[in-house]
Amino acid sequence: MTGNMEQSPISTDAIIIGAGPVGLFAVFELGLNDVKCHLVDILDRPGGQCAELYPEKPIYDIPAVPVCTGAELTERLLEQITPFHPHFHFGQMAERLEKTPEGKWRLTTDSGTILEAPVVVIAAGGGSFVPKKPPIKGIDAYEGKSVFYSVRKMEEFRDRKLVIAGGGDSALDWVINLQPIAKHITLVHRRDEFRAAPDSVMKMRALVAEGAMDLKIANITSVLGEGGMISAVELHDEHKAHHNLACDRLLAFYGLTMKLGPVAHFGINLHENLIPVDTATFETNVATIFAIGDINTYPGKMKLILSGFHEAALMAKKVFAYIHPDRRYRFQYTTSSSDLQQKLGVSEAA
Amino acid sequence: MRIYCTDMEGTEKELVATEEWSVMEIIREGGIPILAQCGGSCACATCHIYVDPAWKSKIPEPTEEEIGMLDGAFEVTQDSRLACQIIFNKNLDGMKIKLGPGSI
Ligand SMILES: Cc1cc2nc3c(=O)[nH]c(=O)nc-3n(C[C@H](O)[C@H](O)[C@H](O)COP(=O)(O)OP(=O)(O)OC[C@H]3O[C@@H](n4cnc5c(N)ncnc54)[C@H](O)[C@@H]3O)c2cc1C
Ligand code: FES
C-alpha cells in the first residue's frame, strides 16, 4: 500500500462500500443491468460477517441451498459474479464521500484510493470491522504512538521491547515474524491455550523453551508511561497478583468488532446507526446513494442475507435508470433472456 | 421467573426470564443494551457477563468453543461466561449476573 498518497481517480458506474454477501450480490444484480462496480472493504478478503465471524458455521436459510457455511456462501457468490469482473479494494476504509464539480460522487479511502461514480451503494452491514480495543483507562493517548492494534510497518518494532497481547493467529503470527527483529518479545495471554494454527503454537513454544522470548499468563490491566510513550504494562495473573512488565511497544490482538465508522459522516440520514431507505428502491434520503443489507432500516426489516439479496435487485433497477437514462428498463428472466445470458457468458452467442 | 442483571454503571435491574431463551436474549429483551454482535452464535464475545459465583454450579460448564471465544473478551475471570451460551431454565430463577467489559 502506498500510505496516504492520493492517487488519480478511478471512474466507474457504482461504488459499493462493503464486500459482505449483500455487496457481492449487488455486483450481480447491477451487472445484469450493465452497471460496473468497484468494491471497498476494510477486511482483506470478501464475505463480510460470513467470512470474519462464521466461515465454518452452517447457514440453513438461503433459498434453495439447504446448507452451506459462511465461507462456502462467499465462494459461491464470488463465482456467480465473475462474469461481471468486479474490482476489489481490500484492506481499505471508505473514509470520505464528497460531490465532484461534475456532480459525481468521489470516495476516498484511508490508503488514498479515489473512486468516482454517479452512484454509491452502501452495503456496510454491521459496520466496518475494526480491532477491539481493550477497556484500559487512558490507552487512547498511546494509540498510534506506542500502542498498536495492527502492524503496518514491521520496522516500527525493530529493536523494541515489545509486548504482544492475545491468543489467536494474529498474535502468534506477529510473535513469530517480529521475534527476529525485536529486542525482546513477551506474549501475554489470559490462559495457557491458544486458538491458532498448531504449527504457530509449536513455533512460539519452541522460542519460549529456547529462552528467545517470554510467555506470561495474565490480563493486562493498565498501561504506564508518559506523553504517549509506554514504559510498562501492568499484569494481573490468575492468583490476582499484580506486577509491572517494562516495554516500549504494545501490540494487542483481541479480534475484530463492527463499528459504523466513517459512513456516519457521509451526510445521509441515520436512525440508531442504521440508514433509513425507501423500500421501493433502497435509495437513502440522498438521491443516488443507496443502502442495502444489514446497514439499512425500514418498517419490517429483518437482518437476513436473503433480505439483502432482494434489496439488491430492487436497488439495481433504480440504479439502471441513473446510469442509462436513455434506455428503457426491461424486465427479463435469466432463464429465457439471451441478452442476460450473453452478459453471464452462458449463451452460445457469447 | 426472573434474573437480576447489573449493567456497566453498576445498576441492578430485574428482568423477566423465559425458559429456553439464552441469557443474552433475556438481557436484550429486558432493555439493557448489550452488543451481542453475532446474534448468539458464540462468534463475537460481545455478550461477556460475570455469573454470581453462587449460581455457577447450576449452569452447565462452558464448551471448548465458548472458552476459546472468551479470548476475545476483556478482564475475563473464573466467573466469565458468554450470555448467549447459557440457556435459561427454571433452576436459574433468581440468578444474578453482571455485564462484562466488551459487552456494550
Ligand atoms: C454468527 C452469525 C450467523 C449468522 N447466520 C445467519 C443465517 O443463518 N442466515 C442469515 O440470513 N443471516 C445470518 N447472519 C447474518 C448475516 O451474516 C448478515 O445478515 C449478513 O452478513 C449481512 O450482509 P451485509 O453484506 O449487509 O453486511 P456484512 O456481512 O456486515 O458486510 C459488510 C462489510 O462492509 C465493510 N465495511 C463497512 N463499512 C466500511 C467502510 N467504511 N469502509 C470499508 N469497509 C466497510 C465491513 O468491513 C464488512 O466486511 C449471521 C450472522 C452471524 C454473525
Ligand atoms: S452474542 Fe456473540 S458470542 Fe454471544
Side-chain angles (χ1 to χ4, degrees), chain B residues 5-96:
Chain B
C5 178
T6 305
D7 66 18
M8 294 300 282
E9 270 85 57
T11 314
E12 188 182 271
K13 198 168 168 185
E14 181 181 301
L15 306 176
V16 175
T18 309
E19 270 199 283
E20 290 183 22
W21 282 38
S22 76
V23 170
M24 180 276 281
E25 293 168 299
I26 293 168
I27 297 171
R28 200 170 56 187
E29 262 321 278
I32 298 183
I34 180 164
L35 267 179
Q37 280 185 335
C38 78
S41 310
C42 195
C44 72
T46 59
C47 64
H48 176 206
I49 57 166
Y50 300 112
V51 175
D52 186 302
W55 291 87
K56 269 168 60 182
S57 63
K58 296 199 161 67
I59 307 171
E61 289 287 310
T63 59
E64 273 303 307
E65 192 186 14
E66 180 182 343
I67 295 169
M69 206 57 231
L70 275 164
D71 284 354
F74 298 104
E75 295 167 32
V76 174
T77 71
Q78 303 287 333
D79 304 331
S80 288
R81 292 295 302 259
L82 294 177
C84 71
Q85 299 302 300
I86 304 174
I87 306 304
F88 184 81
N89 63 51
K90 57 183 185 311
N91 297 330
L92 301 181
D93 188 11
M95 178 168 70
K96 282 181 187 289

Side-chain angles (χ1 to χ4, degrees), chain A residues 248-286:
Chain A
D248 52 19
R249 289 289 182 276
L250 168 64
L251 254 174
F253 299 106
Y254 294 108
L256 303 180
T257 186
M258 293 178 277
K259 289 257 164 72
L260 178 59
V263 169
H265 311 291
F266 283 1
I268 44 184
N269 278 351
L270 291 178
H271 176 71
E272 290 175 354
N273 278 346
L274 297 169
I275 305 175
V277 285
D278 169 351
T279 52
T281 58
F282 296 93
E283 203 162 14
T284 67
N285 70 307
V286 178

Side-chain angles (χ1 to χ4, degrees), chain A residues 16-69:
Chain A
I16 302 178
I17 300 174
V22 177
L24 293 177
F25 193 64
V27 172
F28 184 81
E29 291 295 332
L30 290 168
L32 290 180
N33 285 287
D34 294 324
V35 177
K36 291 187 192 61
C37 310
H38 278 243
L39 298 95
V40 179
D41 204 302
I42 184 81
L43 290 180
D44 58 6
R45 60 191 185 287
Q49 294 175 45
C50 300
E52 182 56 38
L53 294 177
Y54 61 108
E56 309 294 335
K57 290 197 164 119
I59 309 172
Y60 299 101
D61 59 351
I62 305 298
V65 182
V67 58
C68 72
T69 63

Side-chain angles (χ1 to χ4, degrees), chain A residues 13-272:
Chain A
D13 294 333
I15 301 163
I16 302 178
I17 300 174
V22 177
L24 293 177
F25 193 64
V27 172
F28 184 81
E29 291 295 332
L30 290 168
L32 290 180
N33 285 287
D34 294 324
V35 177
K36 291 187 192 61
C37 310
H38 278 243
L39 298 95
V40 179
D41 204 302
I42 184 81
L43 290 180
D44 58 6
R45 60 191 185 287
Q49 294 175 45
C50 300
E52 182 56 38
L53 294 177
Y54 61 108
E56 309 294 335
K57 290 197 164 119
I59 309 172
Y60 299 101
D61 59 351
I62 305 298
V65 182
V67 58
C68 72
T69 63
E72 283 163 356
L73 183 78
T74 306
E75 265 164 50
R76 290 179 193 186
L77 284 166
L78 286 172
E79 183 189 336
Q80 194 167 25
I81 65 178
T82 4
F84 302 113
H85 309 292
H87 297 265
F88 291 100
H89 305 270
F90 288 124
Q92 301 187 38
M93 181 76 101
E95 208 158 59
R96 211 166 66 234
L97 186 68
E98 58 215 339
K99 265 266 159 84
T100 66
E102 304 81 54
K104 282 193 185 181
W105 292 109
R106 169 183 296 196
L107 181 88
T108 311
T109 74
D110 63 348
S111 23
T113 303
I114 301 175
L115 300 171
E116 288 185 357
V119 163
V120 173
V121 179
I122 302 176
S128 54
F129 278 99
V130 293
K132 282 185 188 167
K133 296 180 177 185
I136 295 174
K137 252 203 204 118
I139 197 162
D140 315 28
Y142 298 87
E143 288 168 359
K145 289 183 181 154
S146 59
V147 172
F148 299 88
Y149 304 110
S150 64
V151 176
R152 289 242 161 177
K153 285 189 307 237
M154 278 175 67
E155 278 308 301
E156 177 69 44
F157 304 97
R158 180 177 294 278
D159 298 329
R160 297 295 179 188
K161 216 168 150 25
L162 177 61
V163 169
I164 296 185
D169 279 307
S170 309
L172 290 189
D173 287 352
W174 286 114
V175 160
I176 293 161
N177 287 321
L178 293 171
Q179 191 276 331
I181 68 166
K183 186 165 165 196
H184 186 261
I185 291 187
T186 306
L187 175 63
V188 178
H189 183 43
R190 68 175 188 94
R191 58 189 185 121
D192 199 8
E193 257 166 87
F194 295 85
R195 287 207 320 157
D199 182 53
S200 312
V201 180
M202 256 167 51
K203 282 188 185 146
M204 181 274 294
R205 295 226 188 259
L207 289 170
V208 174
E210 284 165 28
M213 63 168 283
D214 288 326
L215 170 62
K216 289 259 189 296
I217 306 305
N219 284 320
I220 297 179
T221 49
S222 62
V223 293
L224 309 172
E226 226 175 286
M229 299 317 288
I230 192 168
S231 58
V233 290
E234 187 180 11
L235 303 182
H236 193 163
D237 68 19
E238 57 180 337
H239 312 294
K240 308 219 148 91
H242 285 254
H243 76 275
N244 289 352
L245 174 67
C247 65
D248 52 19
R249 289 289 182 276
L250 168 64
L251 254 174
F253 299 106
Y254 294 108
L256 303 180
T257 186
M258 293 178 277
K259 289 257 164 72
L260 178 59
V263 169
H265 311 291
F266 283 1
I268 44 184
N269 278 351
L270 291 178
H271 176 71
E272 290 175 354

